[in-house]
Amino acid sequence: MSNYPNIVRLTTIKYFLSQTYKTKKELLEFLEEKGEFVSARTLERDLKQLKENLGFELIYKKNKGYFIDTAQSSDIELLQRFDEVVKLLNLTSENSEALKYILNTSPVMSGINQLPNLFEAFKEKRILSFDYHKFNESQESNTKRIVIPLWIKEHIGRWYLMALPIDGNGIRVFGIDRIHDIKKLEFYDESIITEDIQKQVDNYKFMIGINKPIFKDLTPHKIELAISDKYLDYCKTKPLHHTQKITSSTIDGFTVVEYILIPNIDLFKLIISELGDIKLIGSEKVKKYMKKEYNQLMKQILK
């Protein structure tokens, strides 16, 4: 793990604090047991990174210590997924024999190596420059981007960087497997992250995937899905979103599951891709939109 000690340590801290409140002393002792010898100042930086850069709901109470409320944390599995990939990368780099037994059909594996650089930029509050190769375009179409990195999101095995171009006022999304030649530039003033920019970032926390919302009104909706018993078992082990709430209500043998989401195309793609294991039952506004848009789509497909 020597290539990524900070990420491994953050994962260790996250799991330890997800159980119950722990003091700094208890945290430092636990890390020592795991072979991580860090100062109190380094621990404070790690806690700040978990809260500000990775979206974990870190709670502090005097005389009790720190606790991470996983029920309120956005994209709670992000760090775990990254840690799992890091372990795989370290395994393959240390033992080339392991490559014989790995079937890698995903291009994201080449991009995952960029994550440590991005985490460093978050921590240091640095502007980044990189070459970006747009999807389905020739290599000659690479463009130089200069951005303030704000957030990372994972969706269906792909990782994305949400960033603010230094000459713009709107968030842009970049697939990290298409980012090349990352360079850290000067430090940026945090005041440049206005309330409007932070709101744009927060909106992504209430979306499945990274596609833009379907409505101009970005107020999160209460989305109700009816999910089959077969697919419900999957949702229990891997929630579709951090707002997932499995209810005791049923409709035609399907369990009603509630979410707080800003509806976007990725939500509809998810429902359609499960071929009847997920049914949309609310809200009415979203149902009306889906009927209109996807009736037209089915007419195009079923020629």
Side-chain angles (χ1 to χ4, degrees):
M1 292 314 162
S2 58
N3 291 337
Y4 305 93
N6 189 46
I7 299 304
V8 174
R9 188 171 68 243
L10 288 174
T11 307
T12 302
I13 293 172
K14 192 271 288 187
Y15 285 128
F16 190 55
L17 293 185
S18 298
Q19 303 168 29
T20 186
Y21 282 91
K22 301 292 183 182
T23 64
K24 282 185 181 179
K25 184 175 183 293
E26 290 173 321
L27 265 169
L28 290 169
E29 290 174 350
F30 178 75
L31 288 172
E32 285 187 13
E33 291 175 6
K34 299 296 181 181
E36 290 279 357
F37 298 90
V38 299
S39 66
R41 179 175 293 182
T42 298
L43 177 60
E44 288 176 1
R45 287 198 296 264
D46 286 346
L47 293 172
K48 184 176 181 181
Q49 192 166 5
L50 282 166
K51 182 178 178 65
E52 295 184 1
N53 296 335
L54 296 173
F56 291 96
E57 189 66 20
L58 182 66
I59 301 169
Y60 174 76
K61 287 188 177 180
K62 190 175 181 180
N63 300 325
K64 293 185 68 174
Y66 297 88
F67 173 67
I68 288 179
D69 186 353
T70 56
Q72 299 298 322
S73 296
S74 62
D75 220 358
I76 192 66
E77 294 181 355
L78 181 66
L79 195 59
Q80 177 184 346
R81 288 176 225 168
F82 177 64
D83 187 50
E84 289 169 352
V85 175
V86 164
K87 290 174 182 175
L88 178 59
L89 291 175
N90 282 332
L91 173 65
T92 56
S93 64
E94 294 166 4
N95 180 8
S96 60
E97 286 292 309
L99 294 174
K100 296 180 181 178
Y101 309 104
I102 298 174
L103 177 61
N104 175 28
T105 59
S106 173
V108 77
M109 289 299 287
S110 61
I112 204 76
N113 293 293
Q114 306 287 10
L115 287 177
N117 293 327
L118 296 177
F119 279 117
E120 286 182 6
F122 288 137
K123 179 180 177 180
E124 298 172 6
K125 302 191 183 306
R126 299 277 285 270
I127 295 173
L128 288 179
S129 74
F130 53 79
D131 292 331
Y132 191 66
H133 176 61
K134 289 186 178 179
F135 189 64
N136 279 342
E137 292 192 9
S138 65
Q139 195 67 34
E140 290 71 26
S141 67
N142 280 0
T143 56
K144 180 70 71 176
R145 305 299 179 96
I146 301 178
V147 303
I148 294 174
L150 298 173
W151 206 47
I152 291 175
K153 185 166 187 174
E154 185 269 353
H155 181 57
I156 317 180
R158 288 184 176 273
W159 296 72
Y160 300 89
L161 169 68
M162 278 71 174
L164 175 66
I166 59 169
D167 57 352
N169 55 13
I171 299 296
R172 297 292 301 275
V173 179
F174 303 93
I176 70 162
D177 54 322
R178 301 194 292 277
I179 290 175
H180 307 281
D181 195 24
I182 290 181
K183 291 183 174 63
K184 291 190 293 184
L185 304 179
E186 66 269 23
F187 299 96
Y188 64 82
D189 185 344
E190 290 184 73
S191 65
I192 200 171
I193 311 300
T194 63
E195 288 186 11
D196 177 65
I197 295 299
Q198 188 57 53
K199 177 63 176 175
Q200 291 181 50
V201 174
D202 291 342
N203 285 340
Y204 277 102
K205 297 178 183 180
F206 289 95
M207 285 189 278
I208 290 177
I210 52 90
N211 280 309
K212 291 182 178 180
I214 59 174
F215 302 130
K216 290 183 178 180
D217 176 13
L218 299 181
T219 303
H221 289 60
K222 180 181 178 181
I223 303 295
E224 294 178 298
L225 303 179
I227 299 180
S228 70
D229 288 343
K230 180 180 70 174
Y231 199 77
L232 186 64
D233 288 338
Y234 173 83
C235 294
K236 288 177 180 177
T237 57
K238 189 175 181 181
L240 300 180
H241 191 261
H242 68 90
T243 60
Q244 176 173 290
K245 179 183 177 183
I246 300 174
T247 75
S248 57
S249 301
T250 59
I251 296 178
D252 298 330
F254 283 52
T255 298
V256 177
V257 183
E258 299 175 353
Y259 300 88
I260 305 299
L261 299 171
I262 296 175
N264 66 345
I265 298 301
D266 285 316
L267 170 62
F268 297 145
K269 285 181 178 178
L270 170 67
I271 295 170
I272 292 170
S273 68
E274 296 310 320
L275 299 174
D277 281 318
I278 300 179
K279 298 179 181 180
L280 177 65
I281 58 175
S283 67
E284 287 302 320
K285 181 179 180 180
V286 176
K287 284 175 64 177
K288 183 177 180 180
Y289 178 92
M290 191 171 184
K291 285 179 181 178
K292 176 185 176 182
E293 295 299 318
Y294 285 88
N295 279 342
Q296 289 299 115
L297 175 64
M298 295 308 293
K299 289 178 182 178
Q300 295 177 34
I301 294 174
L302 300 176
K303 294 292 186 183

